[in-house]
Amino acid sequence: MGRTLAEILEAAAEGRFPPPDGGTTVVALEHRRDAGVLAFTAHSVVFTDEDPEWVLATLAARHLVPDGQPGWAQQATGNARSIRAFQAAGYRPVGAEALMALPS
């Protein structure tokens, strides 16, 4: 995988994505106004001017759901990669919803 944000994005544009290993890659900012997180399938890329070791240490022990408790996730039905990734992580579909705006 690339060592800069530009290299990671160029690789993704060519169909070479970060490994779906649940990991996080931290890269330096290329422009001071642009900091953030890119989410790929089971891999995140953080681009910031913070120390990479601090970022990774801050993100380590964090869990959305305490052990043994049910967790809920929502994916768009047309996003097959997202649905497969969540199912591979042990989630199982339990329902669906449709949000509709009522006329005012």
Side-chain angles (χ1 to χ4, degrees), residues 31-101:
H31 304 283
R32 288 210 45 90
R33 66 178 176 85
D34 298 326
V37 179
L38 293 174
F40 293 94
T41 300
H43 197 99
S44 296
V45 176
V46 178
F47 47 107
T48 181
D49 60 359
E50 297 293 338
D51 176 35
E53 290 182 21
W54 176 84
V55 173
L56 294 172
T58 301
L59 294 175
R62 298 215 176 198
H63 299 280
L64 295 176
V65 180
D67 289 338
Q69 298 296 315
W72 297 92
Q74 184 175 22
Q75 298 91 33
T77 56
N79 190 339
R81 287 184 73 164
S82 176
I83 292 170
R84 285 193 303 269
F86 272 82
Q87 288 177 334
Y91 283 82
R92 62 185 172 91
V94 296
E97 69 176 318
L99 301 176
M100 300 177 167

